[in-house]
Amino acid sequence: MLATLLGSALLSGCATDSLARDETLKWSADRLYAEAKDEMGSGNWAAAIKLLEKLESRYPFGRYAQQAQIDTAYAHWKENENALALAAIDRFMKLYPNHDNVDYVLYLKGLINFNDRGSLFTSVTGEDLSERDPKAAREAFDSFKELVTRFPKSQYAGDASERMSFLINMLASNDVHVARFYMRRGATLAAVNRAQAVVKQYQDAPAIEEALAIMMVGYQQLGLSDLSGDAKRVLVKNFPDSVYLKTGYDPKIRGGTESARPGLWTKFNSSVSKLKPW
């Protein structure tokens, strides 16, 4: 019994000491937010997140509460905690779907997925896209599309539109890479089906050139000469100088598109660094 009482007393004392050491307990909402902004300005994202979380929990209905949620998402992103950043954004969007800064939040959500290097733009680094799930690219595209559709005059709409074009090319390149992967392994029908889907879904993407070449060769291998001829005629009409018309198509040679060049990634990456917390 005595040991239990002593243990309880020690725990109570530790809790009291912890509270006593928290110098922010008596801080106003103004000061909490100002200190959090200072930490963000210095790049101390973890410290900023703690202050923002305290602000939101202590003053949930204050004028800084909603802004704290937006800044928390931004800080998590800068701290490379993408899952937490996206969770904060989704929570904010559910609570405040008509907030004045929704365009910024949608743009931030798009950027987080756009910069998910674990699943996006691996063609730039030479990794095998057929082993990657382009989920992040599709989610980034959806966020940018919603931004451009709902807020066409937003200051972020122009950049979002450019990123959408980039993403379309990347998604098309991803599917063509998978089709090439199938061709190399003799899965001709699967390759043709994937290439055909690219032609239907991404009509303006440069990757269509290789998709048509895959269809031309694939249909020929399947004994479907008429369809092979149709694919060739479309290739000739749209890409009269295509290398595939001159040298044929070899699935062992990796293709390339304008969107996959590292220079474009550098351009977008540099513009991301200019985004500031709202």
Side-chain angles (χ1 to χ4, degrees), residues 257-277:
T257 68
E258 182 72 22
S259 63
R261 292 180 184 174
L264 282 180
W265 169 258
T266 302
K267 169 195 169 183
F268 284 128
N269 198 37
S270 63
S271 66
V272 167
S273 65
K274 298 176 183 178
L275 181 70
K276 304 297 183 183

Side-chain angles (χ1 to χ4, degrees), residues 111-274:
L111 288 183
I112 293 170
N113 282 308
F114 186 91
N115 287 274
D116 184 354
R117 296 302 293 273
S119 60
L120 187 58
F121 307 143
T122 49
S123 65
V124 173
T125 63
E127 297 178 45
D128 192 342
L129 283 170
S130 64
E131 298 178 359
R132 295 288 188 172
D133 182 359
K135 179 182 177 182
R138 299 186 191 281
E139 291 186 352
F141 181 87
D142 289 343
S143 295
F144 291 139
K145 183 178 180 180
E146 183 177 355
L147 165 60
V148 171
T149 302
R150 291 179 60 186
F151 309 99
K153 296 183 179 180
S154 168
Q155 62 178 305
Y156 310 108
D159 187 70
S161 295
E162 288 190 35
R163 291 174 191 273
M164 286 171 64
S165 296
F166 183 91
L167 286 165
I168 287 174
N169 290 339
M170 289 303 302
L171 290 168
S173 297
N174 183 292
D175 282 351
V176 167
H177 186 76
V178 174
R180 190 187 316 122
F181 177 86
Y182 288 147
M183 285 289 284
R184 287 202 303 266
R185 282 153 181 76
T188 307
L189 181 59
V192 168
N193 287 339
R194 182 60 69 100
Q196 188 178 57
V198 172
V199 174
K200 290 181 178 180
Q201 294 178 29
Y202 309 108
Q203 295 184 8
D204 297 323
I208 286 181
E209 180 183 357
E210 186 176 354
L212 288 168
I214 290 173
M215 292 170 63
M216 179 180 67
V217 174
Y219 281 132
Q220 192 66 45
Q221 291 178 0
L222 293 170
L224 301 172
S225 299
D226 289 345
L227 292 177
S228 175
D230 290 341
K232 182 176 181 178
R233 279 190 290 274
V234 176
L235 180 60
V236 170
K237 181 178 180 180
N238 291 277
F239 304 94
D241 298 322
S242 174
V243 65
Y244 304 123
L245 294 171
K246 300 174 182 176
T247 63
Y249 180 72
D250 184 352
K252 295 180 182 179
I253 299 177
R254 185 190 183 103
T257 68
E258 182 72 22
S259 63
R261 292 180 184 174
L264 282 180
W265 169 258
T266 302
K267 169 195 169 183
F268 284 128
N269 198 37
S270 63
S271 66
V272 167
S273 65
K274 298 176 183 178

Side-chain angles (χ1 to χ4, degrees), residues 1-10:
M1 181 67 176
L2 180 60
T4 301
L5 290 174
L6 286 173
S8 298
L10 287 172

Side-chain angles (χ1 to χ4, degrees), residues 28-168:
S28 65
D30 287 349
R31 183 174 180 185
L32 277 170
Y33 189 69
E35 293 288 342
K37 295 294 283 187
D38 284 345
E39 295 291 1
M40 293 176 75
S42 300
N44 299 324
W45 308 111
I49 290 169
K50 290 181 179 179
L51 290 171
L52 291 167
E53 289 175 343
K54 289 178 180 179
L55 170 60
E56 187 182 350
S57 64
R58 294 176 192 174
Y59 304 97
F61 305 109
R63 65 191 182 99
Y64 291 117
Q66 297 175 22
Q67 187 56 51
Q69 291 186 31
I70 298 177
D71 288 344
T72 297
Y74 180 90
H76 276 306
W77 176 47
K78 299 299 286 187
E79 190 70 359
N80 296 315
E81 298 171 338
N82 286 3
L84 292 175
L86 291 171
I89 287 174
D90 289 342
R91 176 169 173 263
F92 178 86
M93 293 293 289
K94 289 179 181 179
L95 291 173
Y96 313 106
N98 299 313
H99 193 276
D100 289 342
N101 297 338
V102 165
D103 62 332
Y104 173 89
V105 176
L106 286 170
Y107 184 63
L108 178 59
K109 183 176 182 179
L111 288 183
I112 293 170
N113 282 308
F114 186 91
N115 287 274
D116 184 354
R117 296 302 293 273
S119 60
L120 187 58
F121 307 143
T122 49
S123 65
V124 173
T125 63
E127 297 178 45
D128 192 342
L129 283 170
S130 64
E131 298 178 359
R132 295 288 188 172
D133 182 359
K135 179 182 177 182
R138 299 186 191 281
E139 291 186 352
F141 181 87
D142 289 343
S143 295
F144 291 139
K145 183 178 180 180
E146 183 177 355
L147 165 60
V148 171
T149 302
R150 291 179 60 186
F151 309 99
K153 296 183 179 180
S154 168
Q155 62 178 305
Y156 310 108
D159 187 70
S161 295
E162 288 190 35
R163 291 174 191 273
M164 286 171 64
S165 296
F166 183 91
L167 286 165
I168 287 174

